[in-house]
Amino acid sequence: MAGLHSGEENTGCEGVATPAAAPRAAVVGAGISGASCAGVLAAAGWEVDVFEKARGAGGRMSSRRIEQGWATLGTPFLSAKREAFRGKLRDWARQGWIAPVRGSLWQGRATIHWGEAQLQNQYRPMIEPSQLVRSLLGGARLHTSAEVSAVAPRTIVLADGRTLADYDCVVCSMPTTQAIPLLGALPLLQERLGAVRYRPIWTFLMRWEGGPAADVIKFDDHLLNLAVRQVSGGPGLWVVYSSHEFAETYLEAGYEEATTRGASALMGLLGLPWPVEVEAAHLWRHARPVGALGGFWAGDRENRVAVIGDGVTGVGVERAWESGVRLAQAMQQSKEELMP
Ligand SMILES: Cc1cc2nc3c(=O)[nH]c(=O)nc-3n(C[C@H](O)[C@H](O)[C@H](O)COP(=O)(O)OP(=O)(O)OC[C@H]3O[C@@H](n4cnc5c(N)ncnc54)[C@H](O)[C@@H]3O)c2cc1C
């Protein structure tokens, strides 16, 4: 399709002018894809503004503060299949920010003790995952509680009505279904993103006593998928992940109904006595992409707008990180090629 590209050779940001001043980029969304893109650009000398509608960075890697620490209602594990992200995870592990997954998995009726070989390159955050994401931003400027309502060539419009212009490039780094409404000025790109849909997950922060003496529980069930014991927050604190089917059934249900259903499913599966204490719950409407576009980004070259994130690359932290890094590297390269 004319003017639209995904992946290797066209960034959607080519043709960037080469003024004496640093080139400027606006990144919408401060999940891991946006943060990695912004950080790489800032390190290369770009002036980067990151606009995040939430109160902090993280996206699906955000965490929740609780009385005794923090809990991860989003991504529980980080893994790397390719060397670039393995290197990043090794750096974080050296700093003590993440640690290799250890312990035991309870599945069905048996407990499996993980061997080291089984779990190479699998980590758990030891600090709030949102801080991992924040660390990627480097010298980029993060604007929080800054929802973007529209993106046009070189321009973003904030939900509070402000228009910020003169960006050499605009990058949307969010689930593609959330990017579509912003892209009314770029109908071809908008149409392309329409191929991706997302499946939801409800997650519940629950505290209970008893049950399997394991660190992770894998349910063989159509309602619940996984439970992960929290590293912070005191004893008996778990995050329980619903199946997509559960979340689709209770997509429009309120907090009360979803938590009641989730807690009763859990008690049935583990034979726990009532009541399980539910401390928080979150519905991730855009948890996992189906039909990701492929490549590292989708771009509108003429208008210098690109879309990154797991709706393009496919699900997972590693892929989302790669999309940000690869787009930033390509943007920088395009700029250098145009230098006199
Ligand atoms: C419950 C759950 C469990 C998961 N488990 C794992 C796992 O174990 N391992 C793994 O590798 N992956 C896991 N994933 C997937 C992984 O979290 C994602 O693939 C990855 O974090 C996506 O990053 P992203 O930057 O593409 O998007 P996001 O993290 O969604 O970031 C998008 C950001 O854009 C912001 N935003 C959206 N719209 C606007 C707007 N209009 N204006 C400003 N900001 C906006 C959002 O607030 C958000 O911060 C899990 C996901 C979920 C939900």
Side-chain angles (χ1 to χ4, degrees), residues 37-76:
C37 182
V40 171
L41 288 175
W46 289 57
E47 250 187 57
V48 189
D49 286 313
V50 181
F51 299 94
E52 167 55 54
K53 70 177 179 181
R55 278 178 297 168
R60 279 168 277 170
M61 288 182 69
S62 56
S63 37
R64 188 170 293 219
R65 296 264 166 87
I66 52 175
E67 210 177 311
Q68 292 164 282
W70 54 273
T72 310
L73 271 86
T75 311

Side-chain angles (χ1 to χ4, degrees), residues 27-35 51-54 56-62 73-79 85 146-150 158 173-175 178-179 182 198 201-203 226 241 284 286-289 308-311 313-321 323:
V27 177
V28 185
I32 193 161
S33 62
F51 299 94
E52 167 55 54
K53 70 177 179 181
R60 279 168 277 170
M61 288 182 69
S62 56
L73 271 86
T75 311
F77 301 117
L78 304 173
S79 58
F85 196 54
E147 180 170 0
V148 171
S149 59
L158 290 164
S173 66
M174 71 227 359
Q178 291 184 314
L182 310 185
Y198 280 77
I201 297 177
W202 267 102
T203 52
L226 199 69
Y241 295 79
W284 300 95
H286 312 282
R288 185 186 180 85
I308 54 174
D310 67 356
T313 53
V315 70
V317 169
E318 178 177 31
R319 285 168 174 272
W321 176 84
S323 73

Side-chain angles (χ1 to χ4, degrees), residues 118-205:
Q118 270 174 296
L119 290 172
Q120 269 186 6
N121 300 306
Q122 306 269 353
Y123 295 86
R124 289 195 63 181
M126 294 289 118
I127 60 169
E128 292 185 51
S130 51
Q131 290 184 31
L132 300 174
V133 174
R134 221 193 142 94
S135 74
L136 295 172
L137 285 164
R141 275 187 303 260
L142 174 64
H143 307 270
T144 54
S145 305
E147 180 170 0
V148 171
S149 59
V151 165
R154 304 177 72 103
T155 303
I156 61 151
V157 181
L158 290 164
D160 65 11
R162 279 179 295 157
T163 297
L164 304 175
D166 291 334
Y167 288 108
D168 294 296
C169 254
V170 179
V171 178
C172 290
S173 66
M174 71 227 359
T176 45
T177 38
Q178 291 184 314
I180 287 172
L182 310 185
L183 293 167
L186 300 149
L188 291 181
L189 185 55
Q190 207 179 28
E191 185 189 318
R192 177 121 189 262
L193 301 183
V196 188
R197 70 184 183 91
Y198 280 77
R199 299 198 74 186
I201 297 177
W202 267 102
T203 52
F204 305 104
L205 182 63

